[in-house]
Amino acid sequence: MTIDYNSHFEACIEGIKQEGRYRYFAAIERIVGNFPKANYYAPDGSVKEITIWCSNDYVGMGQHPKVIAAAKEALDSTGAGAGGTRNISGTTRYHVELEQSVADLHNKEAGLVFSSGYVANEGALSTLGKLLPDCVFISDEMNHASMIHGIKSSKQEKIIYRHNDMEHLEEILKSIDPKRPKIIAFESVYSMDGDIAPIKETCDLADKYNAMTYLDEVHAVGIYGPRGGGVAEERGLMERIDIIEGTFGKAYGCMGGFITGKRAVIDAIRSFASGFIFTTSLPPSVLAASRAAVEHLKTSQIERERMRRNVALFKGLLRDAGMPFMEGESHIVPLVVGEPNCCREVTDILMDDYDIYVQPINYPTVPRGTERLRLTATAAHSEEDIRHMAQVLQELWASHHLLSAVA
């Protein structure tokens, strides 16, 4: 009997729909100068204005006049695309300037720009593993899919340590031959739980057992540290990290990823990473916009201070209302629902009845039974936005829609 390909794939989709974890995309159009407001284009053809509460544009740099002006200048000067891969006609002065900017941000010898944060992690980690003979990765169990992908692609041994558990990490390091190359891969801000890694303690263990450190700062660059270098900068630890990875797609409001570190290490990744070598390079307009955002946030504190104030207000209101959110140190507010269909129902009610857009977070992004709303009070939200959102959530949690599912 031959396989009916289309029916097979329809059954695959039906399976995740039955589980309540099918992903529906909301077509939105952000409004320049009015973020977090956006126009929502519904499947029935109607359009309405909504407020976004799940954006990674944490301080609104995607709407900043400097960023927009830089993108326009580059577009007018050089056109739409880069014209090739970095190796074949696709390296522009905008690439060079942005790489110099991020190297300066982290006080490192060199930087390298990738097409996305995912590609940066996959390319860097896989290449490090391939170039270090008999390397072993020690990876936090909550690491992002891109880090897992990179480590897997290296075809080297991986040992997972319990999330932020330094005793377990040391136990693993003790068990490895001291002469064997080791890389500890971890994140600073874990975006689904909103907690922050013990970076100093991790570095102490890396020094003790002669391991390299690879730190993903994608949810921290731009908003932690006096120049936006991330949590490692905020805690005075940047010089202890061998490779720092970041993104322009979150607090910097643009697109792309990057790594920084010693010149020889960065050059080796540049020379051997397939995901870097064979990808068409980012267009000048995106690079110029990213650099404008990075440079602005090296000196401006206004956006960071506003975001911190808004996050504190939002968490305080949820705390006072007894809402089940995860009390991490970071700016991210995960509000646990605990069941996928209910999680989708909550977000549908928010969109349909309150013009509030939040995307449900379900398995496999988070463990089953911990389905949640991942909420972000950005620098662009007004106090009125925040108080309204807290009030709406409190009302929903008290309604029959949620009590049965959460219980």
Side-chain angles (χ1 to χ4, degrees):
M1 181 178 177
T2 59
I3 185 172
D4 182 333
Y5 294 104
N6 196 60
S7 296
H8 173 78
F9 292 118
E10 286 179 343
C12 291
I13 295 300
E14 184 58 32
I16 61 173
K17 284 183 175 179
Q18 290 296 321
E19 291 180 41
R21 59 187 185 92
Y22 180 76
R23 288 178 167 89
Y24 296 88
F25 290 168
I28 64 173
E29 178 185 45
R30 301 208 300 172
I31 303 169
V32 172
N34 200 28
F35 180 74
K37 305 300 180 184
N39 291 319
Y40 168 60
Y41 290 78
D44 64 5
S46 62
V47 181
K48 68 175 181 178
E49 185 175 285
I50 60 169
T51 303
I52 303 172
W53 266 92
C54 55
S55 177
N56 289 333
D57 191 356
Y58 297 129
V59 291
M61 291 307 295
Q63 307 277 303
H64 197 283
K66 286 184 182 178
V67 175
I68 294 171
K72 286 180 177 178
E73 185 277 329
L75 186 64
D76 290 342
S77 298
T78 69
T85 63
R86 288 292 299 274
N87 189 49
I88 305 175
S89 83
T91 295
T92 68
R93 72 172 178 88
Y94 298 97
H95 291 87
V96 176
E97 290 171 354
L98 182 55
E99 287 170 347
Q100 291 171 341
S101 178
V102 293
D104 169 74
L105 174 70
H106 289 149
N107 196 27
K108 300 294 186 185
E109 293 177 358
L112 190 66
V113 169
F114 290 79
S115 56
S116 73
Y118 190 107
V119 175
N121 270 337
E122 193 282 326
L125 288 166
S126 64
T127 302
L128 289 168
K130 289 172 184 175
L131 294 180
L132 285 169
D134 196 30
C135 173
V136 57
F137 286 95
I138 305 98
S139 176
D140 188 288
E141 68 176 334
M142 296 293 287
N143 278 344
H144 190 264
S146 57
M147 301 176 78
I148 296 169
H149 185 181
I151 293 169
K152 184 177 181 180
S153 296
S154 76
K155 294 184 169 57
Q156 297 283 17
E157 182 182 0
K158 175 181 72 171
I159 305 175
I160 298 172
Y161 67 94
R162 291 187 292 271
H163 181 51
N164 287 345
D165 188 331
M166 295 298 98
E167 289 185 6
H168 191 213
L169 175 58
E170 182 164 24
E171 180 184 316
I172 291 168
L173 289 165
K174 279 182 180 178
S175 71
I176 301 170
D177 185 340
K179 297 179 182 178
R180 192 175 179 189
K182 298 171 282 293
I183 300 173
I184 302 172
F186 63 115
E187 300 181 37
S188 58
V189 176
Y190 285 87
S191 66
M192 289 301 132
D193 288 1
D195 57 345
I196 295 177
I199 300 175
K200 179 185 180 299
E201 293 79 2
T202 304
C203 291
D204 289 343
L205 290 174
D207 291 345
K208 184 176 179 179
Y209 294 95
N210 192 32
M212 288 186 69
T213 47
Y214 183 101
L215 177 62
D216 177 316
E217 288 258 38
V218 296
H219 288 277
V221 288
I223 50 179
Y224 292 86
R227 300 171 76 234
V231 179
E233 184 196 23
E234 184 176 77
R235 298 182 177 181
L237 299 167
M238 282 196 303
E239 75 284 353
R240 301 187 65 186
I241 303 294
D242 292 300
I243 300 173
I244 298 177
E245 185 263 353
T247 183
F248 306 114
K250 294 180 172 57
Y252 292 126
C254 298
M255 178 186 177
F258 64 92
I259 57 172
T260 63
K262 288 191 178 297
R263 193 173 308 282
V265 177
I266 301 303
D267 198 19
I269 294 169
R270 180 190 72 86
S271 300
F272 288 91
S274 296
F276 174 82
I277 295 169
F278 298 106
T279 297
T280 298
S281 61
L282 289 170
S285 57
V286 171
L287 299 163
S290 297
R291 182 173 179 273
V294 172
E295 290 298 316
H296 175 79
L297 289 176
K298 283 180 182 178
T299 58
S300 176
Q301 304 302 325
I302 297 170
E303 294 83 4
R304 286 190 279 273
E305 290 171 358
R306 186 180 298 136
M307 188 203 73
R308 283 193 289 268
R309 184 184 68 236
N310 285 348
V311 171
L313 172 62
F314 187 48
K315 285 184 174 181
L317 291 170
L318 295 183
R319 191 179 298 114
D320 291 345
M323 302 293 288
F325 75 96
M326 301 173 75
E327 286 263 19
E329 299 176 70
S330 79
H331 57 287
I332 295 166
V333 184
L335 185 61
V336 178
V337 176
E339 199 281 328
N341 289 294
C342 185
C343 200
R344 163 57 61 185
E345 183 181 4
V346 173
T347 59
D348 286 347
I349 293 170
L350 287 170
M351 180 70 92
D352 295 341
D353 298 348
Y354 298 96
D355 300 336
I356 292 171
Y357 172 46
V358 180
Q359 189 69 12
I361 306 296
N362 296 328
Y363 177 84
T365 307
V366 295
R368 297 181 193 276
T370 69
E371 291 81 6
R372 67 197 64 175
L373 312 184
R374 179 188 173 278
L375 304 170
T376 52
T378 73
H381 284 87
S382 67
E383 182 176 338
E384 181 183 356
D385 290 331
I386 294 165
R387 292 189 180 279
H388 176 63
M389 180 61 162
Q391 181 62 38
V392 167
L393 290 172
Q394 185 177 1
E395 291 172 1
L396 284 179
W397 248 252
S399 73
H400 70 280
H401 294 289
L402 293 172
L403 288 177
S404 58
V406 174

